[in-house]
Amino acid sequence: MTENHLTGPANPRAHLTSPALHATLRIQNKLLAAARDHLAEAGFTEIHPPVIGPVTDPCSRGSKQVDVDYYGHRYKLMTSAILYKQASLLAFDKIYCIAPNVRLEPLETADTSRHLAEFHQLDVEWAGASKEQAVQLAEDLVAQMVRRAVAELPQEFDVLGRDVGMFAGLVKGVFPRITHAEAVERLHALGHGQSPDAELDWDGEALLSAQSDRPFFVTDYPKGSRGFTDRESPTAPGMLRNFDLIASDGFGELCSGSERTFEYAEAVTRMRETGENPRKYSWYLDLMREGIPASAGFGLGVERFTRYVAGLEAVWQANAFPKLPGVVSP
């Protein structure tokens, strides 16, 4: 059997003994080491969020949650650490974590080359921060992670045939910013029928990504396009205080973030607007009722980011034991 970028490795032994995987995971390890160093220097504390809980962040784009029996109670595998990141700000003002997430992605994502049913995310949350501060932190963090990997692992990039010269713009740490409305205009000019009321679809992301020589931010998505944790702008009703980081060269979205909904009444309203039952989130809302800090943060997909930096054909190549949508594997 041979590897297929849509169905994953031919077998575990071939994958785990591959020089390409070895180089990729060393790059991934260096990226995460650089992230930990950068965040520690900026005053962030690493935490370890749960992998199961009574509720998790609502899934998006058709993905489903996984139920587990927890001593007779219906718990969920985490699709995102967002609820626990906000709660953790009661302990520390600046936190981050690197944790697994499980989302049963729809089968149509199997051929996107950038979806896994189980993946890891670098999550960051900052009490009192604005969207603009979170964007700047994400930009600085990504630039530093790539600088370290490129400087310290030239042999690994050679093994993968990745031209690190393509990161000349990225490592300068100046990423363009466009609003969602501007992104929609650009896509319409390219003949792509992107809805102005929805988040960018995968084809639209790829089109914009292919036109850029460095990552760029898309900000200010319309209300209704994202979940209740993204805060609505108090000065521009109908607009969310959020952002995505899109990679260059067609690799698509790497990171999503926002200012967070943190006030009890607003959270309940946003839950109902997005079709969520507030009773499911009782522990989270109880904390909000007593008060949690305003904050902003983001999540960076570890395998997606590694795929981009290493120049891989598919995201599963950045995971030792990949789980692709619809593919039964170890």
Side-chain angles (χ1 to χ4, degrees), residues 233-265:
S233 171
T235 58
M239 181 181 295
L240 299 176
R241 296 278 293 165
N242 62 359
F243 61 91
D244 278 351
L245 177 62
I246 311 294
S248 61
D249 301 300
F251 282 87
E253 182 256 321
L254 298 172
C255 169
S256 290
S258 72
E259 288 180 18
R260 312 302 189 188
T261 304
F262 69 98
E263 295 178 327
Y264 174 81

mmCIF file of all heavy atoms in Angstrom, residues 233-265:
data_model
loop_
_atom_site.group_PDB
_atom_site.id
_atom_site.type_symbol
_atom_site.label_atom_id
_atom_site.label_comp_id
_atom_site.label_asym_id
_atom_site.label_seq_id
_atom_site.Cartn_x
_atom_site.Cartn_y
_atom_site.Cartn_z
ATOM 1 N N SER A 233 -19.730 43.674 19.131
ATOM 2 C CA SER A 233 -19.185 45.003 19.347
ATOM 3 C C SER A 233 -20.216 45.898 20.033
ATOM 4 O O SER A 233 -21.363 45.988 19.581
ATOM 5 C CB SER A 233 -18.790 45.635 18.014
ATOM 6 O OG SER A 233 -18.457 47.004 18.190
ATOM 7 N N PRO A 234 -19.821 46.573 21.127
ATOM 8 C CA PRO A 234 -20.769 47.482 21.787
ATOM 9 C C PRO A 234 -21.014 48.758 21.000
ATOM 10 O O PRO A 234 -21.995 49.467 21.246
ATOM 11 C CB PRO A 234 -20.082 47.779 23.129
ATOM 12 C CG PRO A 234 -18.623 47.583 22.859
ATOM 13 C CD PRO A 234 -18.540 46.488 21.841
ATOM 14 N N THR A 235 -20.153 49.068 20.042
ATOM 15 C CA THR A 235 -20.295 50.307 19.259
ATOM 16 C C THR A 235 -20.748 50.062 17.829
ATOM 17 O O THR A 235 -21.118 51.001 17.137
ATOM 18 C CB THR A 235 -18.954 51.071 19.236
ATOM 19 O OG1 THR A 235 -17.937 50.222 18.678
ATOM 20 C CG2 THR A 235 -18.545 51.481 20.642
ATOM 21 N N ALA A 236 -20.692 48.809 17.371
ATOM 22 C CA ALA A 236 -21.119 48.469 16.014
ATOM 23 C C ALA A 236 -21.999 47.224 16.091
ATOM 24 O O ALA A 236 -21.542 46.111 15.821
ATOM 25 C CB ALA A 236 -19.918 48.235 15.105
ATOM 26 N N PRO A 237 -23.263 47.385 16.481
ATOM 27 C CA PRO A 237 -24.158 46.232 16.617
ATOM 28 C C PRO A 237 -24.196 45.398 15.342
ATOM 29 O O PRO A 237 -24.190 45.928 14.229
ATOM 30 C CB PRO A 237 -25.516 46.880 16.894
ATOM 31 C CG PRO A 237 -25.188 48.204 17.502
ATOM 32 C CD PRO A 237 -23.931 48.651 16.809
ATOM 33 N N GLY A 238 -24.206 44.090 15.520
ATOM 34 C CA GLY A 238 -24.228 43.201 14.372
ATOM 35 C C GLY A 238 -22.848 42.751 13.931
ATOM 36 O O GLY A 238 -22.727 41.904 13.041
ATOM 37 N N MET A 239 -21.801 43.314 14.547
ATOM 38 C CA MET A 239 -20.431 42.949 14.197
ATOM 39 C C MET A 239 -19.761 42.318 15.416
ATOM 40 O O MET A 239 -19.940 42.784 16.541
ATOM 41 C CB MET A 239 -19.645 44.177 13.748
ATOM 42 C CG MET A 239 -18.208 43.896 13.336
ATOM 43 S SD MET A 239 -17.352 45.431 12.849
ATOM 44 C CE MET A 239 -18.289 45.885 11.387
ATOM 45 N N LEU A 240 -19.003 41.267 15.192
ATOM 46 C CA LEU A 240 -18.303 40.585 16.270
ATOM 47 C C LEU A 240 -16.873 41.092 16.385
ATOM 48 O O LEU A 240 -16.229 41.407 15.390
ATOM 49 C CB LEU A 240 -18.298 39.075 16.030
ATOM 50 C CG LEU A 240 -19.672 38.412 15.961
ATOM 51 C CD1 LEU A 240 -19.530 36.930 15.619
ATOM 52 C CD2 LEU A 240 -20.431 38.579 17.284
ATOM 53 N N ARG A 241 -16.378 41.122 17.602
ATOM 54 C CA ARG A 241 -15.000 41.561 17.866
ATOM 55 C C ARG A 241 -14.086 40.343 17.772
ATOM 56 O O ARG A 241 -13.547 39.852 18.775
ATOM 57 C CB ARG A 241 -14.923 42.200 19.257
ATOM 58 C CG ARG A 241 -15.746 43.473 19.399
ATOM 59 C CD ARG A 241 -15.007 44.659 18.857
ATOM 60 N NE ARG A 241 -13.831 44.947 19.689
ATOM 61 C CZ ARG A 241 -12.836 45.740 19.304
ATOM 62 N NH1 ARG A 241 -12.838 46.293 18.094
ATOM 63 N NH2 ARG A 241 -11.818 45.963 20.120
ATOM 64 N N ASN A 242 -13.885 39.851 16.565
ATOM 65 C CA ASN A 242 -13.147 38.600 16.398
ATOM 66 C C ASN A 242 -12.227 38.660 15.194
ATOM 67 O O ASN A 242 -12.173 39.666 14.464
ATOM 68 C CB ASN A 242 -14.108 37.422 16.313
ATOM 69 C CG ASN A 242 -15.042 37.493 15.114
ATOM 70 O OD1 ASN A 242 -15.014 38.433 14.325
ATOM 71 N ND2 ASN A 242 -15.883 36.488 14.978
ATOM 72 N N PHE A 243 -11.518 37.533 14.952
ATOM 73 C CA PHE A 243 -10.558 37.511 13.844
ATOM 74 C C PHE A 243 -10.157 36.080 13.526
ATOM 75 O O PHE A 243 -10.285 35.176 14.353
ATOM 76 C CB PHE A 243 -9.300 38.317 14.205
ATOM 77 C CG PHE A 243 -8.548 37.801 15.402
ATOM 78 C CD1 PHE A 243 -7.519 36.866 15.268
ATOM 79 C CD2 PHE A 243 -8.848 38.258 16.683
ATOM 80 C CE1 PHE A 243 -6.824 36.384 16.375
ATOM 81 C CE2 PHE A 243 -8.153 37.783 17.800
ATOM 82 C CZ PHE A 243 -7.135 36.858 17.639
ATOM 83 N N ASP A 244 -9.667 35.899 12.312
ATOM 84 C CA ASP A 244 -9.000 34.675 11.870
ATOM 85 C C ASP A 244 -7.619 35.055 11.354
ATOM 86 O O ASP A 244 -7.435 36.147 10.804
ATOM 87 C CB ASP A 244 -9.757 33.985 10.732
ATOM 88 C CG ASP A 244 -10.910 33.129 11.214
ATOM 89 O OD1 ASP A 244 -11.044 32.922 12.435
ATOM 90 O OD2 ASP A 244 -11.691 32.673 10.356
ATOM 91 N N LEU A 245 -6.677 34.148 11.499
ATOM 92 C CA LEU A 245 -5.377 34.281 10.849
ATOM 93 C C LEU A 245 -5.340 33.273 9.706
ATOM 94 O O LEU A 245 -5.490 32.068 9.930
ATOM 95 C CB LEU A 245 -4.237 34.009 11.832
ATOM 96 C CG LEU A 245 -2.817 34.049 11.238
ATOM 97 C CD1 LEU A 245 -2.499 35.439 10.682
ATOM 98 C CD2 LEU A 245 -1.782 33.631 12.279
ATOM 99 N N ILE A 246 -5.149 33.782 8.489
ATOM 100 C CA ILE A 246 -5.132 32.942 7.286
ATOM 101 C C ILE A 246 -3.697 32.838 6.787
ATOM 102 O O ILE A 246 -2.998 33.848 6.659
ATOM 103 C CB ILE A 246 -6.018 33.545 6.170
ATOM 104 C CG1 ILE A 246 -7.401 33.924 6.708
ATOM 105 C CG2 ILE A 246 -6.123 32.567 4.997
ATOM 106 C CD1 ILE A 246 -8.239 32.782 7.162
ATOM 107 N N ALA A 247 -3.255 31.623 6.498
ATOM 108 C CA ALA A 247 -1.899 31.402 5.987
ATOM 109 C C ALA A 247 -1.798 31.834 4.538
ATOM 110 O O ALA A 247 -2.804 32.053 3.847
ATOM 111 C CB ALA A 247 -1.527 29.923 6.117
ATOM 112 N N SER A 248 -0.593 31.937 4.041
ATOM 113 C CA SER A 248 -0.356 32.242 2.629
ATOM 114 C C SER A 248 -0.351 30.966 1.802
ATOM 115 O O SER A 248 -0.473 29.851 2.323
ATOM 116 C CB SER A 248 0.988 32.962 2.481
ATOM 117 O OG SER A 248 2.049 32.129 2.951
ATOM 118 N N ASP A 249 -0.237 31.122 0.494
ATOM 119 C CA ASP A 249 0.006 30.025 -0.440
ATOM 120 C C ASP A 249 -1.063 28.945 -0.440
ATOM 121 O O ASP A 249 -0.780 27.772 -0.694
ATOM 122 C CB ASP A 249 1.372 29.391 -0.176
ATOM 123 C CG ASP A 249 2.499 30.407 -0.303
ATOM 124 O OD1 ASP A 249 2.640 30.979 -1.399
ATOM 125 O OD2 ASP A 249 3.195 30.650 0.690
ATOM 126 N N GLY A 250 -2.320 29.327 -0.148
ATOM 127 C CA GLY A 250 -3.418 28.386 -0.253
ATOM 128 C C GLY A 250 -3.619 27.472 0.935
ATOM 129 O O GLY A 250 -4.464 26.570 0.886
ATOM 130 N N PHE A 251 -2.869 27.661 2.033
ATOM 131 C CA PHE A 251 -2.981 26.762 3.177
ATOM 132 C C PHE A 251 -4.204 27.040 4.051
ATOM 133 O O PHE A 251 -4.590 26.211 4.865
ATOM 134 C CB PHE A 251 -1.712 26.819 4.024
ATOM 135 C CG PHE A 251 -0.568 26.034 3.452
ATOM 136 C CD1 PHE A 251 0.300 26.614 2.531
ATOM 137 C CD2 PHE A 251 -0.364 24.714 3.804
ATOM 138 C CE1 PHE A 251 1.365 25.898 1.997
ATOM 139 C CE2 PHE A 251 0.685 23.980 3.276
ATOM 140 C CZ PHE A 251 1.550 24.566 2.360
ATOM 141 N N GLY A 252 -4.817 28.211 3.917
ATOM 142 C CA GLY A 252 -6.067 28.487 4.618
ATOM 143 C C GLY A 252 -5.896 28.901 6.066
ATOM 144 O O GLY A 252 -4.823 29.292 6.516
ATOM 145 N N GLU A 253 -6.994 28.792 6.829
ATOM 146 C CA GLU A 253 -7.065 29.307 8.191
ATOM 147 C C GLU A 253 -6.176 28.530 9.151
ATOM 148 O O GLU A 253 -6.135 27.309 9.127
ATOM 149 C CB GLU A 253 -8.519 29.266 8.667
ATOM 150 C CG GLU A 253 -8.740 29.823 10.061
ATOM 151 C CD GLU A 253 -8.941 28.721 11.080
ATOM 152 O OE1 GLU A 253 -9.597 27.714 10.781
ATOM 153 O OE2 GLU A 253 -8.418 28.870 12.192
ATOM 154 N N LEU A 254 -5.472 29.283 10.005
ATOM 155 C CA LEU A 254 -4.590 28.701 11.010
ATOM 156 C C LEU A 254 -5.079 28.933 12.428
ATOM 157 O O LEU A 254 -4.827 28.131 13.318
ATOM 158 C CB LEU A 254 -3.188 29.317 10.904
ATOM 159 C CG LEU A 254 -2.402 29.133 9.608
ATOM 160 C CD1 LEU A 254 -1.134 29.982 9.662
ATOM 161 C CD2 LEU A 254 -2.067 27.673 9.381
ATOM 162 N N CYS A 255 -5.755 30.055 12.647
ATOM 163 C CA CYS A 255 -6.009 30.523 14.011
ATOM 164 C C CYS A 255 -7.294 31.333 14.025
ATOM 165 O O CYS A 255 -7.574 32.073 13.080
ATOM 166 C CB CYS A 255 -4.818 31.381 14.454
ATOM 167 S SG CYS A 255 -5.022 32.321 15.970
ATOM 168 N N SER A 256 -8.079 31.171 15.094
ATOM 169 C CA SER A 256 -9.272 31.993 15.296
ATOM 170 C C SER A 256 -9.243 32.580 16.696
ATOM 171 O O SER A 256 -8.775 31.926 17.644
ATOM 172 C CB SER A 256 -10.549 31.159 15.123
ATOM 173 O OG SER A 256 -10.752 30.794 13.784
ATOM 174 N N GLY A 257 -9.754 33.793 16.837
ATOM 175 C CA GLY A 257 -9.772 34.417 18.148
ATOM 176 C C GLY A 257 -10.820 35.503 18.239
ATOM 177 O O GLY A 257 -11.467 35.851 17.248
ATOM 178 N N SER A 258 -10.962 36.058 19.438
ATOM 179 C CA SER A 258 -11.960 37.107 19.640
ATOM 180 C C SER A 258 -11.838 37.709 21.027
ATOM 181 O O SER A 258 -11.167 37.148 21.908
ATOM 182 C CB SER A 258 -13.378 36.537 19.493
ATOM 183 O OG SER A 258 -13.722 35.726 20.604
ATOM 184 N N GLU A 259 -12.504 38.840 21.203
ATOM 185 C CA GLU A 259 -12.892 39.248 22.542
ATOM 186 C C GLU A 259 -14.038 38.331 22.937
ATOM 187 O O GLU A 259 -14.808 37.885 22.087
ATOM 188 C CB GLU A 259 -13.341 40.714 22.570
ATOM 189 C CG GLU A 259 -12.209 41.698 22.395
ATOM 190 C CD GLU A 259 -12.691 43.149 22.425
ATOM 191 O OE1 GLU A 259 -13.818 43.398 22.912
ATOM 192 O OE2 GLU A 259 -11.952 44.032 21.945
ATOM 193 N N ARG A 260 -14.171 38.054 24.241
ATOM 194 C CA ARG A 260 -15.147 37.069 24.699
ATOM 195 C C ARG A 260 -16.387 37.714 25.323
ATOM 196 O O ARG A 260 -16.289 38.759 25.995
ATOM 197 C CB ARG A 260 -14.527 36.150 25.749
ATOM 198 C CG ARG A 260 -13.182 35.576 25.384
ATOM 199 C CD ARG A 260 -13.201 34.787 24.090
ATOM 200 N NE ARG A 260 -11.923 34.087 23.901
ATOM 201 C CZ ARG A 260 -11.584 33.444 22.791
ATOM 202 N NH1 ARG A 260 -12.398 33.402 21.756
ATOM 203 N NH2 ARG A 260 -10.407 32.832 22.707
ATOM 204 N N THR A 261 -17.503 37.082 25.092
ATOM 205 C CA THR A 261 -18.702 37.413 25.846
ATOM 206 C C THR A 261 -18.447 37.017 27.299
ATOM 207 O O THR A 261 -18.067 35.875 27.568
ATOM 208 C CB THR A 261 -19.907 36.638 25.296
ATOM 209 O OG1 THR A 261 -20.056 36.919 23.899
ATOM 210 C CG2 THR A 261 -21.180 37.009 26.033
ATOM 211 N N PHE A 262 -18.637 37.938 28.236
ATOM 212 C CA PHE A 262 -18.286 37.634 29.625
ATOM 213 C C PHE A 262 -19.347 38.049 30.627
ATOM 214 O O PHE A 262 -19.265 37.685 31.813
ATOM 215 C CB PHE A 262 -16.948 38.287 29.990
ATOM 216 C CG PHE A 262 -17.000 39.798 30.075
ATOM 217 C CD1 PHE A 262 -17.139 40.432 31.286
ATOM 218 C CD2 PHE A 262 -16.908 40.574 28.915
ATOM 219 C CE1 PHE A 262 -17.195 41.821 31.367
ATOM 220 C CE2 PHE A 262 -16.948 41.954 28.979
ATOM 221 C CZ PHE A 262 -17.096 42.592 30.210
ATOM 222 N N GLU A 263 -20.358 38.808 30.199
ATOM 223 C CA GLU A 263 -21.409 39.226 31.107
ATOM 224 C C GLU A 263 -22.581 38.244 31.025
ATOM 225 O O GLU A 263 -22.966 37.800 29.929
ATOM 226 C CB GLU A 263 -21.873 40.640 30.776
ATOM 227 C CG GLU A 263 -20.776 41.683 31.001
ATOM 228 C CD GLU A 263 -21.220 43.092 30.636
ATOM 229 O OE1 GLU A 263 -22.028 43.196 29.680
ATOM 230 O OE2 GLU A 263 -20.771 44.043 31.285
ATOM 231 N N TYR A 264 -23.146 37.916 32.158
ATOM 232 C CA TYR A 264 -24.161 36.867 32.251
ATOM 233 C C TYR A 264 -25.345 37.091 31.300
ATOM 234 O O TYR A 264 -25.681 36.206 30.504
ATOM 235 C CB TYR A 264 -24.659 36.764 33.698
ATOM 236 C CG TYR A 264 -25.808 35.804 33.869
ATOM 237 C CD1 TYR A 264 -25.582 34.436 33.972
ATOM 238 C CD2 TYR A 264 -27.129 36.262 33.928
ATOM 239 C CE1 TYR A 264 -26.631 33.545 34.122
ATOM 240 C CE2 TYR A 264 -28.183 35.385 34.081
ATOM 241 C CZ TYR A 264 -27.936 34.021 34.176
ATOM 242 O OH TYR A 264 -28.980 33.146 34.316
ATOM 243 N N ALA A 265 -25.968 38.259 31.381
ATOM 244 C CA ALA A 265 -27.165 38.511 30.569
ATOM 245 C C ALA A 265 -26.847 38.438 29.078
ATOM 246 O O ALA A 265 -27.625 37.876 28.291
ATOM 247 C CB ALA A 265 -27.768 39.871 30.926
#
